[in-house]
Amino acid sequence: MATSSRRRTRLTSRTKDRASPAWAVMAWAVALIAFFPVLNMVLTGFKTEVTAVSLPPQLIFWPTLENYREVLNINFLPFFRNSLIAALTSTALVMVLAIPAAYGIALRPTKQWKDVLFFFISTRFLPPAGVIVPLFIIYREAQLLGTIHGLIILYTAMNLPIAIWMLRSFFEEVPREIIDAARVDGTGPWREITQILLPMAVPGLVATAFISIIFAWNEFFFAVSLAAIGTATVPIFLVRFVTSEGFFWAKLAASSTMAVLPIVIVGWIAQRQLVRGLSMGAIK
Amino acid sequence: MNERTGKRNRVRSVALGTFSLNRGASALSSGWACAKVMARSEKGGKNGPEAVVRPERRGHQFDNTVSNTGSVLVVAIYSTRRVPMSRSSVALIACLVMVVPMLFGIAAGPRVHAQDATPAAMAPNTDISGTIDVGMVANPQMVALQELVNAGAFNELYPNITVNLTVLPENEIRQTITQDVTTQSGQFDVFTIGPFEVPLWAEQDWLAEVGADAAADPNYALDDVFESMTAGLTYDDGLYALPFYGESAMLFYRTDLFADAGLEMPERPTWDQVAEFAAALHSPDDVYGMCLRGLPGWGEQLAPLTTVINAFGGRWFDENWVAQLDSEESAAAIRFYIELLQNYGPPGSDQNGFTENQTLFVQGRCAMWYDATSAAELLSDPALNPDFNEQLGYAYGPSAELPTGNWLWSWNFAMAANSDAPDAALAFMLWATSRDYVDQIVAFDDGWGRAPTGARASVYDDPAYQERASDFATIVLNSINEANPNQPTVDPVPYTGGQFVRIPEFQQLGDDVSREFAAAIVGQTSVDDAIASANDLANQTAIEGLYQE
């Protein structure tokens, strides 16, 4: 407790300092450099295939919607629907499973809680390529190949360790005094979680859910190996424009722009919570 | 091949980049017009940093969030409600208003276009029914096929067959199909496949024989399909795949540069002549003398390089499966190829595959380019090559000891032996590889750009195609007919294949060997060392695969 209150003082005093113009210029420069690839992707989506590969890259050009027309020529909605279902359902499952787990580790730790935490993250040590063949066989036998259920199970398993880790650190920051006070008043674990812990950790919950959605939305390897036939997701829609014969950059940029839009929109909606959740001291 | 994965990763990192954009600060997002508005309204809504914690809001928050635990969207929407002024919502709605019509409005365009498809010539066949899953490589010809299927052209003929198409880039579809077929999972009924795999897979009983049915169908005219193509798809006298489109190799050059330099390209040049031309035309700041693939990968760099080895009289293995890459002829060919790129090629040739060289040529940076004949369709298209399509010259693939390097590739449709709807699968394959299909897609596109060529002789008799492809059609036709991948080399070899060695291990061997050569192209190793290591790798493969006694 002492450490966290000291950290809080330090943070508050730092935020009160006005940043120097030099820092502002640098922040802008870094921001623009970081943003440029995205800007270039959006711009390229409005170029013709030939303009897209011209050197030096043209920043001023006559925009065309031809790429979007070609991209939308293929029905985007099934891909979109599959991604949406996989990302949202798996995230909901992740949250339902991760909240009690994180609560247990953060607020009612057992003796070996560090080992438990390490075990969770260790499930992500093995590279996906290392498990794909056994997974494929298991999925084939379980008739999960090309099904949305198969993807949801995988994405839940994939995001659960990260969610537990994140939520644990968010729950740790909830002042113990409040929880202790509630316990003195006779609150059980259920009310403790639902009425005290979760409302105080909303930014953390949003950040965790958002990361889980993003990971599931962008996941390519499992989707292409296990679900490409039947329940293809948005990343699979994206790469279909990559051809070994002919130009594809503009079409790829157009479809990529479309693929990131939902995430950008969700990010915008949750922006305030996210910035708080992803920066330090989310609870304060 | 690796380059494809790289591109895919780039796409994904772009997506993640957008995420970190949100994570950062409003300064980041202000690059975007919409974001700018949002950021401003955010600023306007808050009263400085202390606005972040508001006890009365938090109390209010308690009740709402409890019932919504885990429901991201509700929390998310709720959180926007908490922004005092709805300027950010206005901006968001404005952005949506801009985006949504773009998504759906444009989609209406091509659907009108789809109605132009030629009506079916035959009466609908209702006898055959079933659902088939088809896997295809994402090349323009297949994308066109997909659009035609989606427009209903196939169902006009076979109303009771449902076709599900999966289209992926070459590496991904190869992996998906291989995984499906080798584990006998039976997800795909029909898939695109190259001549490299067909005999190997047929030998494993993974493919269904389709030649008898194709020959029995008088409308199909199997004898119209190039014999050189079907030869590579045959195993034990059975035909196990039907060619969709095919290619050999040829040389593309810039007629204006040749005229300016007073050079004349013979119709059938030799590699020595090509080297002389490259030396004469090379001016590094402007135009590179010769463009060739250097990108590692058995299907990238090694395709042209193996045909040069063949032409020079070299070979990968002798009849006893002893590696011959360090033989006099093979080594001379490899050295010639690498030095041509080092002396007269673009910088960073080890990163250039088909697409990169096509880009360079369209940009006017290549005086000559030796590659697949399918590039002719792309380079001669004014929409894809606006500046140099008029100055484009064509010649036969260069010769040395052999008149041709025996490059021959086709994308074919094959049927999985365990397909649960073989009749429907066969009907689809016969339709997609028929002569009628070519006419349908030409009518659909109102042009030949995405029509499958190089598989059927009758396409080359079509006056409309002759008019479109008059400059290169004869060269393509003759190159395909002259290529003999079943006897690709001067000296006898125990394998078949023009620009590859048809053994299952070649994909790995080829990738490894081409990495050695790429290192030599950029000067990381000497050419001699690269050839020695490549030869060792080839011997190792032959021993481990129990080919060598």
Side-chain angles (χ1 to χ4, degrees):
Chain A
M1 259 2 293
T3 352
S4 66
S5 63
R6 216 181 303 136
R7 196 204 290 153
R8 193 193 309 167
T9 349
R10 214 170 52 229
L11 272 177
T12 348
S13 66
R14 199 189 293 158
T15 41
K16 276 183 185 157
D17 293 340
R18 290 285 301 222
S20 71
W23 278 110
V25 170
M26 194 136 116
W28 270 93
V30 171
L32 284 176
I33 292 170
F35 180 66
F36 183 76
V38 182
L39 176 71
N40 195 32
M41 177 186 83
V42 176
L43 288 180
T44 306
F46 292 102
K47 292 177 179 178
T48 60
E49 290 291 356
V50 174
T51 329
V53 296
S54 68
L55 272 179
Q58 297 184 11
L59 283 178
I60 297 161
F61 57 92
W62 192 251
T64 169
L65 286 176
E66 186 55 37
N67 300 310
Y68 284 92
R69 186 166 292 145
E70 278 195 41
V71 168
L72 287 163
N73 217 356
I74 296 149
N75 194 357
F76 176 68
L77 289 177
F79 299 89
F80 187 80
R81 193 185 56 224
N82 290 334
S83 270
L84 207 65
I85 296 172
L88 291 185
T89 318
S90 69
T91 300
L93 282 174
V94 162
M95 296 308 277
V96 166
L97 294 170
I99 288 170
Y103 166 80
I105 294 171
L107 299 172
R108 294 173 182 267
T110 58
K111 235 192 268 175
Q112 304 295 328
W113 69 273
K114 279 190 173 160
D115 295 337
V116 173
L117 212 53
F118 184 76
F119 163 73
F120 282 133
I121 208 72
S122 72
T123 58
R124 298 223 41 171
F125 287 177
L126 196 63
V131 295
I132 195 65
V133 174
L135 208 53
F136 185 86
I137 308 280
I138 293 169
Y139 265 50
R140 190 188 62 185
E141 296 305 317
Q143 306 223 322
L144 283 169
L145 282 179
T147 63
I148 198 78
H149 308 98
L151 275 188
I152 291 171
I153 294 170
L154 266 184
Y155 291 169
T156 308
M158 181 178 87
N159 287 327
L160 198 54
I162 295 168
I164 293 173
W165 270 62
M166 283 182 75
L167 286 177
R168 187 200 69 94
S169 65
F170 289 126
F171 289 170
E172 291 250 293
E173 289 185 17
V174 172
R176 278 305 268 271
E177 292 87 345
I178 299 180
I179 293 168
D180 289 343
R183 283 181 189 171
V184 167
D185 288 344
T187 321
W190 174 252
R191 283 189 69 190
E192 199 178 309
I193 296 181
T194 52
Q195 296 199 359
I196 297 167
L197 202 58
L198 295 186
M200 294 195 76
V202 164
L205 294 177
V206 173
T208 310
F210 191 60
I211 282 190
S212 169
I213 289 180
I214 287 176
F215 282 174
W217 187 271
N218 287 343
E219 205 286 324
F220 179 78
F221 184 72
F222 288 129
V224 80
S225 308
L226 304 172
I229 317 151
T231 40
T233 53
V234 168
I236 295 174
F237 175 79
L238 277 191
V239 295
R240 63 182 302 129
F241 298 100
V242 179
T243 162
S244 40
E245 290 175 6
F247 296 139
F248 57 84
W249 286 114
K251 282 194 279 292
L252 184 63
S255 57
S256 306
T257 308
M258 277 172 52
V260 299
L261 267 183
I263 294 290
V264 171
I265 289 170
V266 172
W268 254 330
I269 295 171
Q271 192 175 37
R272 225 176 108 179
Q273 300 283 8
L274 268 180
V275 172
R276 283 172 57 196
L278 291 168
S279 53
M280 271 209 320
I283 303 300
K284 280 122 226 167
Chain B
M1 296 277 144
N2 297 333
E3 164 242 9
R4 305 268 167 259
T5 333
K7 273 170 194 163
R8 186 216 310 151
N9 288 341
R10 250 172 273 152
V11 177
R12 298 182 71 200
S13 59
V14 167
L16 283 173
T18 317
F19 161 63
S20 52
L21 165 92
N22 279 303
R23 231 175 96 161
S26 51
L28 277 172
S29 5
S30 41
W32 219 326
C34 295
K36 220 173 194 171
V37 186
M38 293 279 289
R40 238 183 280 136
S41 57
E42 274 281 276
K43 254 184 251 159
K46 282 184 211 154
N47 305 314
E50 62 272 22
V52 173
V53 181
R54 285 183 198 162
E56 77 282 1
R57 286 240 161 76
R58 188 165 271 175
H60 174 51
Q61 201 179 328
F62 268 51
D63 313 322
N64 278 278
T65 337
V66 171
S67 54
N68 296 330
T69 313
S71 173
V72 193
L73 274 186
V74 179
V75 174
I77 291 165
Y78 171 62
S79 79
T80 37
R81 286 222 190 95
R82 297 200 304 131
V83 176
M85 195 45 246
S86 60
R87 255 211 273 171
S88 68
S89 323
V90 174
L92 185 71
I93 292 166
C95 291
L96 283 174
V97 167
M98 276 159 60
V99 168
V100 170
M102 203 164 80
L103 290 181
F104 297 99
I106 301 167
R111 285 199 189 124
V112 179
H113 178 67
Q115 290 167 357
D116 300 340
T118 325
M122 297 190 302
N125 180 334
T126 50
D127 298 340
I128 306 174
S129 62
T131 301
I132 51 169
D133 278 291
V134 182
M136 299 195 295
V137 61
N139 286 346
Q141 289 87 342
M142 284 72 165
V143 174
L145 170 68
Q146 184 187 23
E147 288 173 21
L148 201 59
V149 169
N150 288 346
F154 180 68
N155 283 124
E156 276 177 29
L157 297 169
Y158 297 97
N160 297 335
I161 299 179
T162 311
V163 183
N164 296 325
L165 296 166
T166 301
V167 183
L168 284 172
E170 193 169 331
N171 278 353
E172 280 75 23
I173 199 76
R174 261 217 175 91
Q175 182 213 328
T176 313
I177 294 172
T178 308
Q179 203 170 253
D180 184 56
V181 172
T182 52
T183 62
Q184 289 288 289
S185 300
Q187 294 189 88
F188 282 125
D189 299 283
V190 177
F191 39 83
T192 53
I193 186 172
F196 173 76
E197 290 100 343
V198 173
L200 299 174
W201 288 14
E203 192 183 349
Q204 302 285 337
D205 289 332
W206 291 334
L207 303 179
E209 207 279 336
V210 288
D213 291 307
D217 184 347
N219 289 327
Y220 186 75
L222 184 61
D223 50 2
D224 183 34
V225 179
F226 291 120
E227 253 185 70
S228 53
M229 293 290 168
T230 49
L233 310 175
T234 304
Y235 169 74
D236 211 10
D237 291 336
L239 184 62
Y240 285 86
L242 300 173
F244 182 48
Y245 71 92
E247 63 189 28
S248 182
M250 65 197 287
L251 185 69
F252 307 96
Y253 66 98
R254 287 267 303 280
T255 50
D256 56 330
L257 298 175
F258 272 73
D260 290 349
L263 299 172
E264 199 177 334
M265 172 71 83
E267 194 182 35
R268 289 179 182 268
T270 64
W271 276 112
D272 287 341
Q273 286 173 319
V274 168
E276 284 167 27
F277 295 147
L281 295 169
H282 187 66
S283 59
D285 298 332
D286 186 25
V287 172
Y288 310 112
M290 186 71 193
C291 290
L292 286 168
R293 298 189 202 174
L295 185 70
W298 71 272
E300 282 283 1
Q301 177 205 86
L302 282 192
L305 177 49
T306 302
T307 63
V308 176
I309 294 175
N310 292 346
F312 271 61
R315 51 185 171 165
W316 273 76
F317 295 98
D318 70 10
E319 282 175 298
N320 299 316
W321 288 101
V322 177
Q324 296 295 315
L325 289 175
D326 64 351
S327 73
E328 197 185 324
E329 295 85 0
S330 304
I334 297 165
R335 183 172 294 107
F336 174 84
Y337 191 93
I338 293 175
E339 285 177 355
L340 200 57
L341 273 181
Q342 285 175 336
N343 296 334
Y344 314 119
S349 279
D350 63 320
Q351 293 299 318
N352 290 348
F354 180 95
T355 311
E356 290 74 15
N357 283 321
Q358 183 198 353
T359 307
L360 285 167
F361 200 96
V362 165
Q363 288 167 351
R365 307 300 301 273
C366 296
M368 287 182 287
W369 176 30
Y370 168 69
D371 215 306
T373 52
S374 56
E377 308 278 354
L378 304 167
L379 293 180
S380 61
D381 185 344
L384 291 176
N385 185 12
D387 299 329
F388 300 100
N389 75 79
E390 301 272 316
Q391 294 93 332
L392 181 59
Y394 308 87
Y396 284 85
S399 60
E401 292 292 309
L402 279 183
T404 158
N406 289 315
W407 179 315
L408 199 70
W409 184 260
S410 55
W411 278 112
N412 320 282
F413 282 104
M415 189 204 303
N418 59 356
S419 165
D420 51 10
D423 293 340
L426 183 72
F428 179 80
M429 290 169 68
L430 291 176
W431 171 74
T433 58
S434 70
R435 180 69 179 83
D436 284 344
Y437 172 81
V438 180
D439 294 333
Q440 286 187 40
I441 197 72
V442 169
F444 180 73
D445 275 357
D446 197 18
W448 285 84
R450 300 191 297 172
T453 56
R456 284 180 169 270
S458 60
V459 170
Y460 292 84
D461 299 331
D462 190 310
Y465 184 68
Q466 280 173 352
E467 193 186 331
R468 136 127 183 99
S470 57
D471 296 334
F472 58 85
T474 315
I475 299 179
V476 175
L477 181 66
N478 292 340
S479 300
I480 289 174
N481 279 328
E482 287 165 18
N484 184 1
N486 287 341
Q487 283 176 338
T489 52
V490 172
D491 296 319
V493 285
Y495 57 86
T496 56
Q499 71 278 31
F500 51 81
V501 177
R502 195 178 272 124
I503 52 171
E505 295 85 352
F506 184 71
Q507 302 197 29
Q508 187 60 49
L509 171 64
D511 287 352
D512 294 343
V513 164
S514 59
R515 266 192 291 276
E516 297 288 338
F517 294 152
I521 291 172
V522 288
Q524 279 171 5
T525 54
S526 74
V527 181
D528 289 333
D529 286 350
I531 293 174
S533 333
N535 203 63
D536 290 346
L537 285 166
N539 268 327
Q540 200 185 325
T541 302
I543 293 166
E544 284 171 6
L546 303 177
Y547 296 95
Q548 221 178 80
E549 291 292 311

